[in-house]
Each structure stands twice: as structure tokens, then as C-alpha cells.
Amino acid sequence: MISQAKLTHALEGVLVPGARRDVVKMNLVRALSASGDKVSVVIAAVALPPPAQEWLKSKVEEVLKGEPGVKTVDVKVIAAKPAEVNVVGKVIAVMSGKGGVGKSMVASLLATSLQREGKEVGILDADITGPSIPRMFGLSGVKPAGNEDSIIPVLSATGIEIMSINLMLENEDEPVIWRGPVVAKVIQQFWQDTLWGMLDYLIVDLPPGTSDAPLTVMQSLPVAGAVVVLSPQQLAAMVVRKAVKMAKKLSIPVLGVVENMSYFQIPGSKKRVEIFGTSHLAEMAEAAETTLTVQLPIDPKLAALCDDGKIEQYRSKDFDAFAKALSTAKVRQA
Ligand SMILES: Nc1ncnc2c1ncn2[C@@H]1O[C@H](COP(=O)(O)OP(=O)(O)O)[C@@H](O)[C@H]1O
Ligand SMILES: [Mg+2]
């Protein structure tokens, strides 16, 4: 008897062209069976141009033929849409009352921490008019693969799947000046027409504020929970309350609150200076009905890593603990 598990394991060695992830993780193996010395496999050719489909077909055949006991292999390639093969565990939206509080940085750190825990993670950059995720991961100028109707996300240095409008633009500096409905359409396409494959988490970097754009994302994606980012300023506290209220109205639980730029740690001393005033974190967490909070200091190292596209190298024990607690929070699945 040829074992199914062994065949699957063999297929884990076949990378999807343009994705750097294997056919099993991308959920492209739609059927796999063995009878005697014959193996039959059905592969969904999602987001692949014809030459890549041909390559994939022969690679699958070759790998399976290499397994002991296998004489003949029948590979059938079928057409499929990303939405038919994507299996996303939890969609977590990162939101803030206003821009510039470190929302994209927090979305990136959250993805990084979850990935370090061994989870499969993707980031959907839904901040269409101010996309900054590719830059933080050093992916400026990298173009995603795909065909006419589907896209393959770009993979970060540590293996996080990333989709952002900035990866699609000819020139990164090009401003995106589309109207609301177009922006909403693009975000929906990033969700539906991207081959995410099998993910434990999809982190969505929402546009800032409580306008139409973040609202659309929350309504059109199966968001399991939100993470709210704020800074210690008084004004920020007011806008955060609005963001929390918006999530509540849409029945999306706030899973955690991140206070960014909480303090500055004087180098070589234990002294912390609260540059932007005293913390409102406890009060905000209460308003959001969550007990899960974390503070991030103003850290020049963090700013440099963001600028250099090396956010994945930042380590914070506090933030890792926050991400871990978040991952065990009970929320509805996508
Ligand atoms: N805690 C921090 N310490 C140092 N620099 C930070 C911190 N948080 C954010 N920054 C800097 O601010 C920039 C803007 O952050 P970003 O996450 O893009 O904000 P937002 O998405 O809310 O507009 C980052 O690129 C980074 O350089
Ligand atoms: Mg941003």
C-alpha cells in the first residue's frame, strides 16, 4: 500500500512557481489517491500562466514517480479561483483612530511574532492610499506573480505572504488617488483574487480612521477581531474611542490594544520618560472591553529597521507575549 501521507509529504517538495511555497501549503492539491501502483492527483492551477501550469504538472508527476512502489502517475490540472482554495484561519484587522501612530508597524510586528511561533501568516495591506507594508519588509520594487485574474502574494524574508497596492504600481512613488468605491473594490480583490493558500492568520493593515475605507474592509472581509493601535496623546484617546465604537457597531471584538511610543527608555538607565504624556492604555482597554494590552517604547532601532525594510529583525519580549496571548483568544474563524 502506498501511503497517502508519504505522497503528500513528497508533494511538499514541489514549490508553486512564483510563490516560493509548496503546492500543499497553497492548497492546490484537490485530490490524491493511490490504487495498486497507480497514483492519481488533481492539481488546481490557480494564478498560474500556461507555461507555469505545464511545469507544475511535470514536476508533480516526477516527484510522485520517485516514490517507492509508484509506477504510473495520472496528473489532472483543473482551473480554479483563489477563493476556492484559500483557507484562512483568522483575519485580524489592525486599526487606529488616526494615521501616524504606528499602525502599519504594529501590523508588521504582529505578523512577525505569529510567524515566529510557527504560524502561517499573511498581510493584506488595505491602506490603499498610504501603503507602507512592502517598505517595512524591504520589498519595494518586487512584483507579484500571477495571471490575468489572480495574484500570488510576495513572500517576505522570513516567509510572510504580502499583498499591497505598492507591489502592483509601476512606480512606488505614484500617488493612488482613486475614489472610495474603487479602493473598496481593490481591497475585495486582494482578499478574493489573491492565492493566499492555507494560512493561520491574515493580518489586515486597515486605512486609518473611521471613514468609509476601514468600514468597507470590516464589512466585506470575515474579520475575526481587531487590534487597536494608539499613542499616548490626549487627542488620540478621543479618536481611539471612535475606532472602538466602530468595531463594536460591526460586532467585531477588539482583541487587544497596543500603545505605541509610550515612553523612551534612557539608554544605560532604568529611567523611562513619557514623552507624549501619561498613558491612557488602561482606560482605552476598558472602553474596548479587552484586558490584553502592550506598550511599545519610542525606539530609534525600531525606526531604523522600519526604514531599512528589516522589521522582521525587531525583537520585543513584551510584544511577542502579546501576540501569543492574542493567538489563543477565542474568536470566530474566517
Ligand atoms: N515605537 C516607535 N519607535 C520609533 N519609531 C517608530 C515607532 N513607531 C513608529 N515609528 C516610526 O514611525 C513611522 C510610521 O509608522 P507607521 O506604522 O507607518 O504609522 P501608521 O501606519 O500609523 O501611519 C515608522 O516607519 C517608524 O519609522
Ligand atoms: Mg500605515
Side-chain angles (χ1 to χ4, degrees), residues 103-105 127 130 132 205-206:
K103 181 175 52 63
S104 301
M105 186 272 295
D127 194 352
S132 49
D205 186 15
L206 282 185

Side-chain angles (χ1 to χ4, degrees), residues 81-220:
K81 293 191 165 76
E84 293 168 304
V85 299
N86 287 343
V87 180
V88 177
K90 287 180 195 166
V91 177
I92 295 181
V94 180
M95 63 188 303
S96 68
K98 61 178 191 124
V101 295
K103 181 175 52 63
S104 301
M105 186 272 295
V106 166
S108 303
L109 284 185
L110 184 56
T112 303
S113 292
L114 290 169
Q115 145 95 5
R116 267 195 217 124
E117 260 186 61
K119 311 286 190 210
E120 297 291 338
V121 188
I123 304 179
L124 191 162
D125 185 355
D127 194 352
I128 302 294
T129 51
S132 49
I133 296 291
R135 186 178 48 86
M136 292 198 179
F137 286 87
L139 297 170
S140 303
V142 181
K143 292 277 170 281
N147 60 16
E148 303 91 62
D149 46 37
S150 318
I151 331 161
I152 293 176
V154 163
L155 216 59
S156 78
T158 65
I160 297 169
E161 289 187 345
I162 292 171
M163 185 41 73
S164 167
I165 194 72
N166 248 12
L167 299 168
M168 316 288 285
L169 299 175
E170 216 31 70
N171 174 2
E172 233 208 345
D173 303 328
E174 205 106 22
V176 174
I177 40 179
W178 302 327
R179 290 185 191 279
V182 181
V183 168
K185 189 106 213 301
V186 170
I187 294 167
Q188 274 160 1
Q189 283 185 343
F190 280 177
W191 165 246
Q192 277 173 11
D193 300 341
T194 299
L195 174 62
W196 297 106
M198 289 204 265
L199 286 182
D200 297 307
Y201 293 94
L202 182 69
I203 309 300
V204 181
D205 186 15
L206 282 185
T210 45
S211 65
D212 260 6
L215 190 71
T216 312
V217 184
M218 288 194 169
Q219 284 177 326
S220 52

Side-chain angles (χ1 to χ4, degrees), residues 120-326:
E120 297 291 338
V121 188
I123 304 179
L124 191 162
D125 185 355
D127 194 352
I128 302 294
T129 51
S132 49
I133 296 291
R135 186 178 48 86
M136 292 198 179
F137 286 87
L139 297 170
S140 303
V142 181
K143 292 277 170 281
N147 60 16
E148 303 91 62
D149 46 37
S150 318
I151 331 161
I152 293 176
V154 163
L155 216 59
S156 78
T158 65
I160 297 169
E161 289 187 345
I162 292 171
M163 185 41 73
S164 167
I165 194 72
N166 248 12
L167 299 168
M168 316 288 285
L169 299 175
E170 216 31 70
N171 174 2
E172 233 208 345
D173 303 328
E174 205 106 22
V176 174
I177 40 179
W178 302 327
R179 290 185 191 279
V182 181
V183 168
K185 189 106 213 301
V186 170
I187 294 167
Q188 274 160 1
Q189 283 185 343
F190 280 177
W191 165 246
Q192 277 173 11
D193 300 341
T194 299
L195 174 62
W196 297 106
M198 289 204 265
L199 286 182
D200 297 307
Y201 293 94
L202 182 69
I203 309 300
V204 181
D205 186 15
L206 282 185
T210 45
S211 65
D212 260 6
L215 190 71
T216 312
V217 184
M218 288 194 169
Q219 284 177 326
S220 52
L221 266 59
V223 178
V227 168
V228 174
V229 185
L230 59 119
S231 67
Q233 284 128 306
Q234 188 68 52
L235 179 67
M238 189 263 291
V239 288
V240 171
R241 264 190 213 104
K242 281 191 185 167
V244 167
K245 272 191 186 147
M246 179 166 88
K248 236 184 187 168
K249 265 195 189 142
L250 298 169
S251 310
I252 293 171
V254 176
L255 302 176
V257 181
V258 182
E259 186 177 72
N260 188 27
M261 307 189 240
S262 287
Y263 56 88
F264 179 72
Q265 184 90 48
I266 306 286
S269 115
K270 284 209 156 48
K271 206 162 171 247
R272 289 177 171 188
V273 187
E274 293 180 321
I275 292 183
F276 290 128
T278 47
S279 173
H280 292 276
L281 187 52
E283 189 190 329
M284 287 303 109
E286 203 183 324
E289 295 173 7
T290 178
T291 50
L292 188 57
T293 61
V294 68
Q295 289 182 308
L296 282 169
I298 298 170
D299 185 348
K301 227 172 40 208
L302 180 55
L305 288 173
C306 283
D307 285 348
D308 295 346
K310 294 180 177 154
I311 186 80
E312 289 161 289
Q313 290 177 19
Y314 192 72
R315 303 226 56 150
S316 155
K317 272 200 195 118
D318 288 351
F319 197 86
D320 280 346
F322 171 81
K324 191 164 178 128
L326 197 91

Side-chain angles (χ1 to χ4, degrees), residues 58-77:
S58 58
K59 192 75 194 168
V60 164
E61 193 174 340
E62 177 195 320
V63 162
L64 292 176
K65 268 199 177 143
E67 284 300 291
V70 178
K71 282 241 167 63
T72 51
V73 177
D74 176 37
V75 188
K76 200 169 151 208
V77 175

